[in-house]
Coordinates of all heavy atoms in Angstrom, one line a residue:
D525 N 2.3 -3.5 23.5 CA 2.4 -4.8 24.4 C 3.5 -5.7 23.9 O 3.7 -6.7 24.6 CB 1.0 -5.5 24.3 CG -0.2 -4.7 24.7 OD1 0.0 -3.8 25.6 OD2 -1.3 -4.9 24.3
F526 N 4.1 -5.5 22.8 CA 5.0 -6.5 22.2 C 6.3 -5.8 21.7 O 6.4 -4.6 21.4 CB 4.3 -7.1 20.9 CG 3.0 -7.8 21.3 CD1 1.8 -7.1 21.0 CD2 3.0 -9.0 21.9 CE1 0.6 -7.7 21.4 CE2 1.8 -9.6 22.2 CZ 0.6 -9.0 22.0
E527 N 7.3 -6.7 21.6 CA 8.7 -6.3 21.2 C 8.9 -6.6 19.7 O 9.8 -6.1 19.1 CB 9.8 -6.9 22.0 CG 9.7 -6.5 23.4 CD 10.0 -5.0 23.6 OE1 10.8 -4.4 22.9 OE2 9.3 -4.4 24.5
G528 N 8.0 -7.4 19.1 CA 8.1 -7.8 17.7 C 6.9 -8.6 17.3 O 6.0 -8.9 18.1
L529 N 6.9 -8.8 15.9 CA 5.7 -9.5 15.3 C 6.2 -10.5 14.3 O 7.1 -10.3 13.6 CB 4.9 -8.4 14.5 CG 3.8 -8.9 13.6 CD1 2.7 -9.6 14.5 CD2 3.2 -7.8 12.8
V530 N 5.5 -11.7 14.4 CA 5.8 -12.8 13.4 C 4.5 -12.9 12.6 O 3.4 -13.0 13.2 CB 6.1 -14.1 14.1 CG1 6.3 -15.2 13.0 CG2 7.4 -14.0 14.9
L531 N 4.6 -13.0 11.3 CA 3.5 -13.3 10.4 C 3.8 -14.6 9.6 O 4.5 -14.6 8.6 CB 3.3 -12.1 9.4 CG 2.9 -10.8 10.0 CD1 3.0 -9.7 8.9 CD2 1.5 -10.9 10.5
P532 N 3.2 -15.7 10.1 CA 3.4 -17.0 9.4 C 2.7 -16.9 8.1 O 1.8 -16.0 7.8 CB 2.8 -18.0 10.3 CG 2.7 -17.3 11.7 CD 2.5 -15.9 11.4
G533 N 3.0 -17.9 7.2 CA 2.3 -17.9 5.9 C 1.2 -18.9 5.9 O 0.4 -19.1 6.9
G534 N 1.1 -19.6 4.8 CA -0.1 -20.4 4.4 C -0.8 -19.5 3.5 O -0.8 -18.2 3.7
V535 N -1.4 -20.0 2.5 CA -2.1 -19.1 1.5 C -3.3 -18.4 2.1 O -3.5 -17.2 1.9 CB -2.5 -19.9 0.2 CG1 -3.3 -19.0 -0.8 CG2 -1.3 -20.5 -0.5
A536 N -4.2 -19.2 2.8 CA -5.4 -18.6 3.3 C -5.2 -17.6 4.4 O -6.0 -16.7 4.5 CB -6.4 -19.7 3.7
N537 N -4.2 -17.8 5.2 CA -4.0 -17.0 6.4 C -3.8 -15.5 6.1 O -4.6 -14.7 6.5 CB -2.8 -17.6 7.2 CG -2.4 -16.8 8.3 OD1 -3.1 -16.3 9.2 ND2 -1.1 -16.5 8.4
P538 N -2.8 -15.2 5.3 CA -2.6 -13.7 5.0 C -3.6 -13.2 4.1 O -3.9 -12.0 4.1 CB -1.2 -13.7 4.4 CG -0.9 -15.0 3.8 CD -1.7 -16.0 4.8
D539 N -4.2 -14.1 3.2 CA -5.3 -13.6 2.3 C -6.5 -13.1 3.2 O -7.1 -12.1 2.8 CB -5.7 -14.7 1.4 CG -6.6 -14.2 0.3 OD1 -6.2 -13.1 -0.4 OD2 -7.6 -14.8 0.0
F540 N -6.8 -13.8 4.3 CA -7.9 -13.4 5.2 C -7.4 -12.2 6.0 O -8.2 -11.2 6.0 CB -8.2 -14.5 6.1 CG -9.2 -14.1 7.2 CD1 -10.6 -14.1 6.9 CD2 -8.8 -13.7 8.4 CE1 -11.5 -13.7 7.8 CE2 -9.8 -13.3 9.4 CZ -11.1 -13.3 9.1
L541 N -6.2 -12.2 6.5 CA -5.8 -11.1 7.4 C -5.8 -9.7 6.6 O -6.1 -8.7 7.2 CB -4.4 -11.3 7.9 CG -4.3 -12.4 9.0 CD1 -2.9 -12.6 9.4 CD2 -5.2 -12.0 10.2
R542 N -5.4 -9.8 5.3 CA -5.4 -8.5 4.6 C -6.8 -7.9 4.3 O -6.9 -6.7 3.9 CB -4.6 -8.7 3.3 CG -5.2 -9.5 2.3 CD -4.3 -9.7 1.1 NE -4.8 -10.6 0.1 CZ -4.4 -10.7 -1.1 NH1 -3.3 -10.0 -1.5 NH2 -4.9 -11.6 -2.0
T543 N -7.8 -8.6 4.6 CA -9.2 -8.1 4.5 C -9.7 -7.6 5.8 O -10.9 -7.1 5.9 CB -10.1 -9.2 3.9 OG1 -10.3 -10.2 4.9 CG2 -9.6 -9.7 2.6
Q544 N -8.9 -7.7 6.9 CA -9.4 -7.3 8.2 C -8.7 -6.0 8.7 O -7.5 -6.0 8.9 CB -9.1 -8.5 9.2 CG -9.6 -9.8 8.9 CD -11.2 -9.8 8.8 OE1 -11.8 -9.4 9.7 NE2 -11.7 -10.1 7.6
E545 N -9.5 -5.0 8.7 CA -8.9 -3.6 9.0 C -8.1 -3.6 10.2 O -7.0 -3.0 10.3 CB -10.1 -2.6 9.0 CG -9.6 -1.2 9.2 CD -10.8 -0.2 9.2 OE1 -11.8 -0.4 8.5 OE2 -10.7 0.8 9.9
Q546 N -8.6 -4.1 11.3 CA -7.8 -4.1 12.6 C -6.5 -4.8 12.5 O -5.5 -4.4 13.1 CB -8.7 -4.6 13.8 CG -9.8 -3.7 14.2 CD -10.6 -4.2 15.4 OE1 -10.9 -5.3 15.4 NE2 -10.8 -3.3 16.3

Side-chain angles (χ1 to χ4, degrees):
D525 301 333
F526 303 100
E527 296 299 319
L529 172 65
V530 176
L531 293 169
V535 177
N537 174 48
D539 192 50
F540 175 81
L541 288 175
R542 68 182 174 169
T543 67
Q544 303 301 303
E545 185 179 324
Q546 287 183 314

